[in-house]
Amino acid sequence: MQPDCVFCRIVAGQLPADIVHQGEDVLAFNDLNPQAPVHVLVVPKRHVADISALAADPELSAILLAGIRGVTDELGITEYRTVFNTGAAAGQTVFHVHAHLLAGRSFGWPPG
Ligand code: 5GP
Ligand code: ZN
C-alpha cells in the first residue's frame, strides 16, 4: 500500500467509496465524478501504477479483467466502454491502475 495513493486508501478502508463489486484481489467502486450513468472504477487491490506495469503481472492482469466482468455481471450490462488512461498526457490523474467502465449512454468515436 502507498499511503499517499487515494485508491490504496480506498482499498484499505481509510477513505469511503461506493463499492459495487469485489474479489480477493480486485475492487470496483463508483467514480466520484461520473461521466456516464454507469461509471465504475475497477482496480487491483495491490498498488500498480499503470497498465504498462500491470502487463508485467499476467495473473493480476487476468484478475483485473475478471473484475470488469464481475461488475458487468453484477449490473447486468452487456454494452459498455472501458478506458485505461496511461500517463498525464492521456488524462491519468491517479497513478494506481484502474479501468474506467462506462455505460448507460452512447459514446462517440474517436474519443476526445
Ligand atoms: P484518471 O484520470 O486517473 O484516469 O481517473 C481517475 C478517476 O478517479 C477520475 O475519474 C476521478 O473522478 C476518480 N477519483 C478521484 N478521486 C476519487 C475518490 O476519492 N473516490 C472515487 N470514487 N473516485 C475518485
Ligand atoms: Zn495505490
Side-chain angles (χ1 to χ4, degrees):
M1 145 146 200
Q2 304 237 330
D4 58 345
C5 170
V6 66
F7 292 170
C8 281
R9 296 188 65 201
I10 287 173
V11 167
Q14 294 174 356
L15 281 178
D18 188 7
I19 293 168
V20 296
H21 174 79
Q22 73 172 306
E24 196 178 333
D25 299 306
V26 73
L27 184 69
F29 48 92
N30 285 321
D31 196 293
L32 205 56
N33 182 23
Q35 303 301 313
V38 173
H39 187 171
V40 175
L41 302 173
V42 189
V43 310
K45 290 185 176 177
R46 180 159 69 77
H47 182 91
V48 177
D50 59 26
I51 197 172
S52 293
L54 182 68
D57 187 336
E59 192 182 346
L60 195 58
S61 303
I63 286 168
L64 188 63
L65 279 182
I68 292 170
R69 176 62 193 267
V71 174
T72 60
D73 284 353
E74 190 93 15
L75 301 181
I77 52 177
T78 54
E79 296 182 286
Y80 54 92
R81 178 167 289 184
T82 45
V83 176
F84 289 89
N85 294 323
T86 306
Q92 188 174 9
T93 58
V94 177
F95 289 82
H96 179 135
V97 68
H98 49 281
H100 293 261
L101 194 166
L102 301 135
R105 64 170 172 85
S106 56
F107 297 100
W109 194 264

